[in-house]
Protein backbone atom coordinates (compact mmCIF):
# COMPACT_ATOMS: atom_id res chain seq x y z
CA UNK A 1 0.00 0.00 0.00
CA UNK A 2 1.22 3.48 -0.86
CA UNK A 3 2.58 5.00 2.37
CA UNK A 4 2.06 8.52 1.00
CA UNK A 5 -1.68 7.88 0.70
CA UNK A 6 -1.80 6.46 4.20
CA UNK A 7 0.00 9.54 5.51
CA UNK A 8 -2.33 12.01 3.77
CA UNK A 9 -5.58 10.35 4.66
CA UNK A 10 -4.70 9.36 8.22
CA UNK A 11 -3.71 12.97 8.87
CA UNK A 12 -7.22 13.99 7.82
CA UNK A 13 -8.75 11.18 9.85
CA UNK A 14 -6.90 12.13 13.00
CA UNK A 15 -8.69 15.45 12.87
CA UNK A 16 -12.01 13.64 12.50
CA UNK A 17 -11.19 10.56 14.59
CA UNK A 18 -14.01 8.07 14.81
CA UNK A 19 -15.91 9.38 11.80
CA UNK A 20 -16.38 7.42 8.59
CA UNK A 21 -14.57 9.27 5.81
CA UNK A 22 -15.01 8.48 2.11
CA UNK A 23 -12.24 9.68 -0.21
CA UNK A 24 -12.51 9.54 -3.99
CA UNK A 25 -8.73 9.77 -4.27
CA UNK A 26 -8.20 6.56 -2.32
CA UNK A 27 -11.00 4.78 -4.16
CA UNK A 28 -9.67 5.78 -7.58
CA UNK A 29 -6.05 4.98 -6.78
CA UNK A 30 -6.13 1.76 -4.78
CA UNK A 31 -9.80 0.74 -4.74
CA UNK A 32 -10.46 1.46 -1.06
CA UNK A 33 -13.70 3.22 -0.25
CA UNK A 34 -13.01 4.55 3.21
CA UNK A 35 -10.82 4.41 6.26
CA UNK A 36 -12.23 4.40 9.79
CA UNK A 37 -10.09 5.36 12.76
CA UNK A 38 -11.41 3.59 15.84
CA UNK A 39 -8.80 4.36 18.49
CA UNK A 40 -5.82 6.62 19.21
CA UNK A 41 -3.04 6.48 21.79
CA UNK A 42 0.14 8.48 22.38
CA UNK A 43 3.41 6.71 23.15
CA UNK A 44 5.97 8.06 25.62
CA UNK A 45 8.25 9.00 22.70
CA UNK A 46 5.54 11.22 21.23
CA UNK A 47 4.45 8.94 18.40
CA UNK A 48 0.70 8.64 17.84
CA UNK A 49 -0.84 5.19 17.40
CA UNK A 50 -3.91 5.06 15.17
CA UNK A 51 -5.99 1.88 14.82
CA UNK A 52 -9.00 1.02 12.71
CA UNK A 53 -10.03 -0.52 9.42
CA UNK A 54 -9.67 0.10 5.70
CA UNK A 55 -12.73 -1.13 3.81
CA UNK A 56 -13.16 -1.84 0.11
CA UNK A 57 -15.74 -3.46 -2.14
CA UNK A 58 -14.81 -7.04 -1.33
CA UNK A 59 -12.26 -6.82 1.45
CA UNK A 60 -11.55 -5.25 4.82
CA UNK A 61 -8.17 -4.77 6.46
CA UNK A 62 -7.43 -3.81 10.02
CA UNK A 63 -4.52 -1.49 10.59
CA UNK A 64 -2.32 -0.12 13.34
CA UNK A 65 0.15 2.61 12.41
CA UNK A 66 2.40 4.99 14.31
CA UNK A 67 2.53 8.62 13.22
CA UNK A 68 4.91 11.45 13.93
CA UNK A 69 3.47 14.33 15.96
CA UNK A 70 2.80 16.22 12.70
CA UNK A 71 0.72 13.31 11.35
CA UNK A 72 3.25 11.87 8.90
CA UNK A 73 3.61 8.11 8.79
CA UNK A 74 6.36 6.67 10.99
CA UNK A 75 5.68 2.94 10.77
CA UNK A 76 3.01 0.43 9.79
CA UNK A 77 2.78 -1.89 12.79
CA UNK A 78 -0.11 -4.01 11.56
CA UNK A 79 -1.98 -4.39 8.28
CA UNK A 80 -4.17 -7.46 8.39
CA UNK A 81 -7.06 -9.05 6.53
CA UNK A 82 -8.76 -9.46 9.91
CA UNK A 83 -11.92 -7.42 9.89
CA UNK A 84 -11.40 -4.65 12.39
CA UNK A 85 -8.88 -3.24 14.86
CA UNK A 86 -11.17 -1.69 17.47
CA UNK A 87 -8.94 -0.44 20.31
CA UNK A 88 -5.32 0.28 21.15
CA UNK A 89 -3.76 1.02 24.54
CA UNK A 90 -0.22 1.36 25.82
CA UNK A 91 1.15 -0.39 28.91
CA UNK A 92 3.50 1.35 31.38
CA UNK A 93 6.42 -0.68 29.93
CA UNK A 94 5.67 0.60 26.41
CA UNK A 95 4.12 -2.59 25.08
CA UNK A 96 1.00 -2.15 22.97
CA UNK A 97 -2.39 -3.82 23.48
CA UNK A 98 -4.47 -4.26 20.32
CA UNK A 99 -8.09 -5.47 20.20
CA UNK A 100 -9.20 -7.13 16.97
CA UNK A 101 -12.65 -8.36 15.95
CA UNK A 102 -12.11 -11.17 13.44
CA UNK A 103 -15.80 -11.80 12.74
CA UNK A 104 -19.14 -11.09 14.48
CA UNK A 105 -18.94 -12.53 17.98
CA UNK A 106 -15.21 -13.29 17.83
CA UNK A 107 -12.59 -11.02 19.32
CA UNK A 108 -8.90 -11.21 20.21
CA UNK A 109 -6.57 -9.14 22.37
CA UNK A 110 -2.91 -9.15 21.35
CA UNK A 111 0.12 -7.56 22.93
CA UNK A 112 2.85 -6.15 20.72
CA UNK A 113 6.39 -5.15 21.52
CA UNK A 114 7.11 -1.47 20.74
CA UNK A 115 8.63 -2.54 17.39
CA UNK A 116 5.31 -4.18 16.38
CA UNK A 117 6.26 -7.85 16.87
CA UNK A 118 3.76 -10.02 18.74
CA UNK A 119 4.47 -10.81 22.40
CA UNK A 120 3.77 -14.55 22.36
CA UNK A 121 3.92 -14.78 26.16
CA UNK A 122 0.62 -12.88 26.45
CA UNK A 123 -2.58 -14.95 26.40
CA UNK A 124 -5.73 -12.94 27.09
CA UNK A 125 -8.67 -14.69 28.75
CA UNK A 126 -11.68 -13.14 27.05
CA UNK A 127 -15.43 -13.42 27.55
CA UNK A 128 -16.48 -10.59 25.23
CA UNK A 129 -18.05 -10.76 21.78
CA UNK A 130 -16.74 -7.28 20.92
CA UNK A 131 -14.08 -5.20 22.68
CA UNK A 132 -15.18 -1.57 22.83
CA UNK A 133 -13.34 -0.25 25.92
CA UNK A 134 -9.67 -0.73 26.82
CA UNK A 135 -7.31 0.97 29.27
CA UNK A 136 -4.32 0.06 31.42
CA UNK A 137 -3.87 0.84 35.11
CA UNK A 138 -0.48 2.07 36.40
CA UNK A 139 0.34 -1.42 37.77
CA UNK A 140 -0.22 -2.99 34.34
CA UNK A 141 -3.68 -4.43 35.02
CA UNK A 142 -5.93 -4.23 31.97
CA UNK A 143 -9.50 -2.88 32.05
CA UNK A 144 -11.60 -4.26 29.22
CA UNK A 145 -15.25 -3.86 28.29
CA UNK A 146 -17.71 -4.30 25.47
CA UNK A 147 -20.52 -6.67 24.64
CA UNK A 148 -20.48 -9.87 26.68
CA UNK A 149 -20.38 -13.54 25.84
CA UNK A 150 -21.72 -16.02 28.37
CA UNK A 151 -19.48 -18.37 30.30
CA UNK A 152 -17.19 -16.02 32.17
CA UNK A 153 -17.11 -15.00 35.81
CA UNK A 154 -19.36 -14.59 37.70
CA UNK A 155 -21.81 -16.35 35.35
CA UNK A 156 -19.90 -19.52 34.46
CA UNK A 157 -22.95 -21.67 35.15
CA UNK A 158 -25.42 -19.45 33.33
CA UNK A 159 -25.45 -20.03 29.56
CA UNK A 160 -27.54 -16.93 28.93
CA UNK A 161 -25.65 -14.21 30.85
CA UNK A 162 -22.21 -12.65 30.96
CA UNK A 163 -20.26 -9.69 32.32
CA UNK A 164 -19.54 -6.77 29.98
CA UNK A 165 -16.60 -5.40 32.00
CA UNK A 166 -13.51 -7.16 33.39
CA UNK A 167 -10.05 -6.59 34.71
CA UNK A 168 -7.21 -8.74 33.42
CA UNK A 169 -3.91 -9.27 35.16
CA UNK A 170 -0.79 -8.20 33.30
CA UNK A 171 -0.39 -11.75 31.94
CA UNK A 172 -3.90 -11.68 30.43
CA UNK A 173 -5.66 -13.90 33.00
CA UNK A 174 -8.93 -12.79 34.61
CA UNK A 175 -8.56 -10.91 37.90
CA UNK A 176 -11.38 -12.46 39.90
CA UNK A 177 -10.82 -10.09 42.84
CA UNK A 178 -12.18 -7.22 40.72
CA UNK A 179 -15.72 -6.53 41.87
CA UNK A 180 -17.32 -4.76 38.91
CA UNK A 181 -20.23 -6.60 37.28
CA UNK A 182 -22.19 -5.24 34.31
CA UNK A 183 -24.66 -8.07 33.77
CA UNK A 184 -25.68 -8.72 30.18
CA UNK A 185 -28.06 -11.54 29.27
CA UNK A 186 -29.32 -12.79 25.92
CA UNK A 187 -31.18 -10.07 23.97
CA UNK A 188 -30.12 -7.34 26.43
CA UNK A 189 -28.91 -4.25 24.59
CA UNK A 190 -26.19 -3.65 27.20
CA UNK A 191 -22.53 -2.83 26.63
CA UNK A 192 -19.57 -0.89 28.01
CA UNK A 193 -18.30 1.47 25.31
CA UNK A 194 -15.47 3.33 27.05
CA UNK A 195 -13.31 3.45 30.18
CA UNK A 196 -10.95 6.08 31.60
CA UNK A 197 -8.76 6.14 34.70
CA UNK A 198 -8.59 9.21 36.93
CA UNK A 199 -5.33 10.45 38.45
CA UNK A 200 -6.46 9.08 41.85
CA UNK A 201 -6.92 5.61 40.32
CA UNK A 202 -10.70 5.63 40.26
CA UNK A 203 -12.31 4.30 37.09
CA UNK A 204 -14.98 5.94 34.94
CA UNK A 205 -16.97 3.57 32.73
CA UNK A 206 -19.62 4.45 30.17
CA UNK A 207 -21.94 2.70 27.77
CA UNK A 208 -25.52 1.54 27.70
CA UNK A 209 -26.53 -0.08 30.97
CA UNK A 210 -28.73 0.63 33.99
CA UNK A 211 -27.17 -1.38 36.82
CA UNK A 212 -23.64 -2.08 38.05
CA UNK A 213 -22.97 -4.36 41.00
CA UNK A 214 -26.76 -4.60 41.46
CA UNK A 215 -26.94 -0.83 42.05
CA UNK A 216 -28.75 1.67 39.78
CA UNK A 217 -26.19 3.45 37.61
CA UNK A 218 -27.56 4.58 34.23
CA UNK A 219 -24.92 4.71 31.48
CA UNK A 220 -22.00 6.36 33.29
CA UNK A 221 -20.48 5.40 36.65
CA UNK A 222 -17.35 5.69 38.72
CA UNK A 223 -15.70 2.68 40.31
CA UNK A 224 -13.17 2.43 43.08
CA UNK A 225 -9.85 0.73 42.30
CA UNK A 226 -11.22 -2.66 43.36
CA UNK A 227 -14.24 -2.38 41.05
CA UNK A 228 -16.76 -1.50 43.75
CA UNK A 229 -19.19 1.29 42.92
CA UNK A 230 -18.24 4.81 44.06
CA UNK A 231 -21.53 5.98 45.53
CA UNK A 232 -20.32 9.59 45.77
CA UNK A 233 -20.38 9.93 41.97
CA UNK A 234 -23.79 11.21 40.92
CA UNK A 235 -24.27 11.46 37.18
CA UNK A 236 -26.66 9.65 34.87
CA UNK A 237 -28.08 10.01 31.38
CA UNK A 238 -31.27 8.91 29.63
CA UNK A 239 -29.36 7.31 26.75
CA UNK A 240 -26.10 5.57 25.98
CA UNK A 241 -22.74 7.28 26.49
CA UNK A 242 -20.30 6.50 23.68
CA UNK A 243 -17.02 8.18 24.68
CA UNK A 244 -15.49 9.78 27.77
CA UNK A 245 -12.31 11.76 28.38
CA UNK A 246 -10.78 13.24 31.53
CA UNK A 247 -9.34 16.75 31.35
CA UNK A 248 -6.21 17.83 33.24
CA UNK A 249 -8.48 19.71 35.68
CA UNK A 250 -10.24 16.34 36.36
CA UNK A 251 -13.49 17.38 34.69
CA UNK A 252 -15.07 14.69 32.53
CA UNK A 253 -16.12 15.10 28.89
CA UNK A 254 -18.80 12.77 27.54
CA UNK A 255 -20.56 12.25 24.24
CA UNK A 256 -23.39 9.92 23.37
CA UNK A 257 -26.98 9.28 22.37
CA UNK A 258 -28.74 11.04 25.22
CA UNK A 259 -30.95 14.12 25.49
CA UNK A 260 -30.85 14.60 29.28
CA UNK A 261 -28.21 14.44 32.01
CA UNK A 262 -29.53 14.11 35.56
CA UNK A 263 -32.97 15.04 34.23
CA UNK A 264 -31.82 18.27 32.54
CA UNK A 265 -31.90 18.75 28.74
CA UNK A 266 -28.43 18.42 27.24
CA UNK A 267 -26.99 17.85 23.78
CA UNK A 268 -24.69 14.92 22.91
CA UNK A 269 -21.39 16.47 24.09
CA UNK A 270 -21.10 17.66 27.68
CA UNK A 271 -18.75 18.25 30.61
Amino acid sequence: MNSHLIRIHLTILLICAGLLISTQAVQATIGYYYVEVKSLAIQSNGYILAAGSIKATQTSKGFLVSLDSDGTLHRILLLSTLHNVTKVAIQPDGKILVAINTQPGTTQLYRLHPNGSIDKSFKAELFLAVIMALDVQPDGAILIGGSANSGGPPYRNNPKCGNAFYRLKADGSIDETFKAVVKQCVYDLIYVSDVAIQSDGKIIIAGQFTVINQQPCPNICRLNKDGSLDMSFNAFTNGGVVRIAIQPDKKILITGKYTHIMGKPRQSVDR
Side-chain angles (χ1 to χ4, degrees):
M1 182 177 294
N2 189 302
S3 62
H4 182 62
L5 285 173
I6 291 178
R7 182 172 66 246
I8 291 172
H9 295 292
L10 279 179
T11 302
I12 296 170
L13 286 163
L14 284 168
I15 299 171
C16 307
L19 299 179
L20 207 60
I21 305 295
S22 178
T23 56
Q24 292 182 351
V26 173
Q27 180 180 343
T29 306
I30 57 176
Y32 288 113
Y33 283 130
Y34 51 76
V35 179
E36 186 178 8
V37 174
K38 291 277 191 178
S39 185
L40 300 170
I42 300 176
Q43 295 178 288
S44 59
N45 57 13
Y47 289 119
I48 302 165
L49 297 180
S53 60
I54 305 170
K55 298 183 181 181
T57 307
Q58 296 180 342
T59 187
S60 176
K61 291 189 176 184
F63 70 84
L64 174 66
V65 299
S66 66
L67 307 170
D68 291 317
S69 57
D70 63 358
T72 56
L73 181 70
H74 170 246
R75 179 183 295 172
I76 299 174
L77 297 172
L78 175 68
L79 186 60
S80 170
T81 54
L82 298 175
H83 286 282
N84 207 348
V85 181
T86 58
K87 296 296 291 185
V88 60
I90 301 169
Q91 295 189 161
D93 61 3
K95 290 182 180 180
I96 303 163
L97 295 171
V98 184
I100 297 176
N101 290 338
T102 56
Q103 59 186 3
T106 304
T107 192
Q108 298 288 337
L109 182 65
Y110 294 99
R111 185 164 67 191
L112 308 180
H113 296 289
N115 64 4
S117 62
I118 294 176
D119 180 357
K120 295 182 180 180
S121 69
F122 181 75
K123 303 293 183 183
E125 190 175 0
L126 296 178
F127 297 96
L128 295 172
V130 178
I131 296 174
M132 304 166 77
L134 181 66
D135 208 345
V136 183
Q137 295 180 294
D139 64 357
I142 302 161
L143 300 171
I144 183 169
S147 180
N149 277 333
S150 60
Y155 301 108
R156 287 192 174 91
N157 297 320
N158 188 334
K160 294 185 178 181
C161 295
N163 186 4
F165 189 65
Y166 292 96
R167 183 165 69 188
L168 305 180
K169 298 176 184 178
D171 64 358
S173 61
I174 291 281
D175 181 356
E176 303 215 30
T177 68
F178 191 63
K179 298 178 180 179
V181 176
V182 183
K183 186 177 182 180
Q184 178 187 356
C185 296
V186 175
Y187 306 122
D188 286 345
L189 188 58
I190 289 173
Y191 54 82
V192 174
S193 60
D194 208 359
V195 58
I197 302 170
Q198 295 185 163
S199 58
D200 61 2
K202 291 188 177 183
I203 303 159
I204 308 290
I205 70 169
Q208 184 161 301
F209 47 78
T210 57
V211 174
I212 291 182
N213 298 355
Q214 300 181 337
Q215 297 290 329
C217 191
N219 305 313
I220 182 168
C221 298
R222 186 165 66 193
L223 307 177
N224 297 309
K225 295 178 184 179
D226 64 355
S228 60
L229 192 62
D230 179 359
M231 303 300 291
S232 69
F233 185 77
N234 186 25
F236 59 87
T237 68
N238 69 334
V241 176
V242 178
R243 290 288 177 264
I244 53 179
I246 300 173
Q247 297 183 158
D249 63 2
K250 301 182 181 180
K251 292 181 179 178
I252 302 165
L253 296 172
I254 69 172
T255 182
K257 302 174 182 179
Y258 53 82
T259 58
H260 290 72
I261 297 178
M262 299 179 69
K264 297 180 180 180
R266 303 294 291 183
Q267 293 295 325
S268 296
V269 179
D270 291 278
R271 183 171 64 187

